[in-house]
Amino acid sequence: MRKIREVLRLRHDLNVSAREIALSVGIARSSVAEYSYRADAAGLSWPLPEGISDEDLERLLFPPPPSVEEPSRPVPSWPKIQKDLSRKGVTLLLLWQEYKAAHPDGYGYSRFASLYREWQNKTDVRMRQHHKAGEKMFVDFVGLTMPITDPSTGDVRQVQVFSSAMGASQRIFAKAYESQSLENWLAANADAFEFYGALPEVIVPDNLKSGITSPDRFEPVINQSFAEFARHYGVAVIPARPKKPRDKAKVENAVQQVERWILAPLRDRAFFCILELNIEIAARLELLDSRVMRGPSSSRRELFEEIDLPAMRVLDMPRYQFAVWKRAKVAPDYCVEFEGRRYSVPYTLVGKRVDLRVSLKVVEVFLDSTRICGHPRCFSRRGFTIEPSHMPVAHREHAEWTPERIENWAAQTGPSTRGLVSKMMAANLHPQQAFRACMGVISLSRSYTAERVEAACTRALRFGAHGYRNVKTILEKGLDREEAPPQLPLIEIEVHENVRGAEYYKEDPSCDN
């Protein structure tokens, strides 16, 4: 309005030409001509009437077009239009063509689309989102937790509640889990598939740590186990953008509904196991999914069966078996470690980094997405699981030692050496546990003569010192060259009535020992 006032001042007060006015004000000559024409039509000159505001000036220069009463035409059912748009392949143009075929005197397409947008703006904001039938399943954990009381101790622990919602029908699934761990996260998504009885095309999660390793607006990194889960079911994972709740508005609404209609009414109930809680959640969830919504005038269950379910894929594969992925480096002993247990890989991979896939039954090793080998999982947190074919030839021959071979090798040094290694192997639950110590005794002949080693073993046997370190100490201190002290004679104990032998307790049935 400031420029229009200046145009009128220059024209009427200073009698400046239109070209000069355009240069002075910084507008086109055509605009100067239009403003002058509108001012003349409104009966305005310079100076303007005192007290006229910019709003009044705009209303005088640019009056609204005269209203023309719109003829009465049949109005489409906008909730039905909204529902039909959720189906695959259905467009607003197709729906208008069907409307026009049924009502030849109906609205044109531009007016039809305009009225539909106006209806959208007047309804719930959530109805403005267009989700194709069966396409997206939105998932998240509910903010509220539920207490579970241990009946034996009275201790209370908080459990998490998972929720999902289908994009088109908004049908909700909810179930409680022990935590937000990766295993529970994948189990929750699998339970959601089984609840719906079909598979969506896309899972839209929040950026929780269980599912998304590195949240990023443009290239989020999905947890490797979650990615394997998606490949198993043939679905895609597209995380919502960080700090963009509208990307997952469906599940945000589902979370609110679960908190309001399921968890809040149970706030004063005491539950003693998670199964008891889930039974109550399932009962209330059935009521929630059956409640008629105001916008579509249908329940979530009805919309799901009518829109989502026919467009979803059949759930015809076995349930996903949870597995953990771990990055590991092959150690010099050609083994990788998981939870303290070491598993062998081909020795040619020493020093390379590999991926471990660990399920309940199997430990698998992958190199650059290629499966190298697998072992039955052992839950012992120590020890080795070795596949002989993974070992170098020299190591494989070493592993083929047996107790008899050890004894025969020791016999080459002398009978006392053989007797000592026999006792060392007999002292262990498994003879193999003493192989290294036995080989150490035999290898002492590299530093000492066979005669000295044999003498040291004889001395060790006499004093009951059945160990590699004992023999080594005898040799280092030269005790094998010394004459062993004579053995003390056994002292015979006089037998009398106060000495009770084993026979006494065997014959007395009243003795509890």
Side-chain angles (χ1 to χ4, degrees), residues 115-228:
L115 290 174
Y116 173 65
R117 287 191 295 269
E118 289 178 9
W119 175 83
Q120 279 186 310
N121 293 332
K122 294 177 183 178
T123 57
D124 194 335
V125 175
R126 290 166 293 182
M127 291 295 293
R128 280 189 253 164
Q129 297 187 9
H130 291 286
H131 295 289
K132 294 299 180 182
E135 181 183 28
K136 294 181 180 179
M137 182 180 79
F138 298 83
V139 294
D140 200 1
F141 277 103
V142 178
L144 290 179
T145 58
M146 291 297 292
I148 301 293
T149 305
D150 188 326
S152 58
T153 64
D155 294 338
V156 178
R157 72 181 190 278
Q158 298 294 325
V159 298
Q160 305 289 328
V161 179
F162 171 88
S163 179
S164 68
M166 292 302 301
S169 65
Q170 306 180 55
R171 190 179 182 189
I172 297 172
F173 166 71
K175 189 175 180 180
Y177 297 87
E178 289 291 347
S179 67
Q180 293 189 16
S181 67
L182 176 61
E183 185 172 4
N184 285 319
W185 169 252
L186 298 184
N189 280 270
D191 288 342
F193 292 160
E194 294 174 2
F195 172 80
Y196 295 124
L199 292 171
E201 295 179 12
V202 179
I203 302 175
V204 183
D206 198 359
N207 290 276
L208 75 170
K209 292 182 179 179
S210 300
I212 309 302
T213 303
S214 176
D216 185 86
R217 179 176 181 179
F218 301 104
E219 290 187 352
V221 179
I222 300 171
N223 179 283
Q224 198 164 359
S225 296
F226 194 19
E228 183 188 34

Side-chain angles (χ1 to χ4, degrees), residues 89-100 109 112:
V90 178
T91 64
L92 193 62
L93 178 61
L94 173 63
L95 296 177
W96 171 78
Q97 291 172 345
E98 294 174 351
Y99 160 79
K100 194 68 174 175
Y109 176 71
F112 180 89

Side-chain angles (χ1 to χ4, degrees), residues 81-92 94-95 98 130-136 166 168 199-202 234 303 306-314:
I81 297 294
Q82 175 74 38
K83 184 188 300 184
D84 289 341
L85 278 174
S86 299
R87 300 177 182 273
K88 284 189 175 181
V90 178
T91 64
L92 193 62
L94 173 63
L95 296 177
E98 294 174 351
H130 291 286
H131 295 289
K132 294 299 180 182
E135 181 183 28
K136 294 181 180 179
M166 292 302 301
L199 292 171
E201 295 179 12
V202 179
L303 289 175
E306 181 181 351
I307 300 175
D308 277 326
L309 188 57
M312 296 173 74
R313 291 183 294 117
V314 178

Side-chain angles (χ1 to χ4, degrees), residues 3 20-28:
K3 290 186 176 182
E20 292 173 329
I21 294 175
L23 292 173
S24 175
V25 180
I27 59 176

Side-chain angles (χ1 to χ4, degrees), residues 263-507:
L263 302 185
L266 300 177
R267 64 189 182 280
D268 296 326
R269 287 276 301 274
F271 295 96
F272 299 102
C273 69
I274 198 168
L275 176 60
E276 181 185 359
L277 171 61
N278 279 327
I279 291 174
E280 187 63 33
I281 289 177
R284 293 179 177 272
L285 179 63
E286 179 67 24
L287 296 176
L288 176 60
D289 279 340
S290 300
R291 183 179 292 114
V292 176
M293 296 183 290
R294 287 181 297 178
S297 301
S298 300
S299 69
R300 292 178 173 85
R301 173 186 289 278
E302 292 171 342
L303 289 175
F304 174 78
E305 294 175 351
E306 181 181 351
I307 300 175
D308 277 326
L309 188 57
M312 296 173 74
R313 291 183 294 117
V314 178
L315 181 63
D316 56 356
M317 65 280 296
R319 185 180 173 94
Y320 172 77
Q321 297 300 316
F322 175 71
V324 174
W325 287 83
K326 178 187 176 183
R327 191 78 169 159
K329 185 177 181 179
V330 181
D333 61 357
Y334 44 88
C335 287
V336 290
E337 180 269 334
F338 182 78
E339 293 184 348
R341 185 79 180 182
R342 303 184 74 82
Y343 300 88
S344 69
V345 300
Y347 71 93
T348 54
L349 299 181
V350 169
K352 295 185 180 294
R353 292 196 173 273
V354 296
D355 292 310
L356 304 184
R357 182 185 182 275
V358 185
S359 64
L360 189 63
K361 296 181 179 180
V362 181
V363 176
E364 298 173 284
V365 182
F366 291 81
L367 177 65
D368 298 332
S369 302
T370 301
R371 186 181 186 275
I372 302 301
C373 61
H375 296 279
R377 183 177 178 181
C378 179
F379 288 91
S380 172
R381 291 186 173 270
R382 57 188 301 178
F384 294 79
T385 299
I386 305 294
E387 167 60 42
S389 63
H390 295 163
M391 306 169 69
V393 175
H395 292 197
R396 201 177 307 159
E397 292 176 351
H398 179 275
E400 292 173 355
W401 284 95
T402 63
E404 293 76 16
R405 190 174 180 184
I406 293 284
E407 290 179 358
N408 293 335
W409 190 21
Q412 297 176 10
T413 304
S416 294
T417 306
R418 178 172 183 168
L420 179 65
V421 299
S422 296
K423 287 187 175 294
M424 290 169 63
M425 289 187 289
N428 289 275
L429 180 61
H430 300 287
Q432 291 82 355
Q433 294 175 304
F435 277 7
R436 184 174 298 225
C438 294
M439 293 169 64
V441 171
I442 299 171
S443 66
L444 289 172
S445 59
R446 299 175 184 172
S447 304
Y448 304 93
T449 63
E451 291 76 13
R452 289 195 63 188
V453 174
E454 175 68 10
C457 290
T458 302
R459 189 181 182 91
L461 284 171
R462 182 171 181 179
F463 290 100
H466 304 152
Y468 162 74
R469 291 186 178 276
N470 302 118
V471 178
K472 185 179 180 182
T473 301
I474 292 173
L475 290 168
E476 288 175 346
K477 296 186 179 296
L479 298 178
D480 57 293
R481 295 192 178 98
E482 298 181 3
E483 185 179 352
Q487 288 185 334
L488 296 176
L490 294 176
I491 301 176
E492 294 185 2
I493 300 176
E494 182 182 357
V495 179
H496 53 81
E497 60 181 0
N498 292 328
V499 177
R500 302 176 183 177
E503 298 298 325
Y504 172 84
Y505 294 100
K506 289 182 180 178
E507 293 175 359

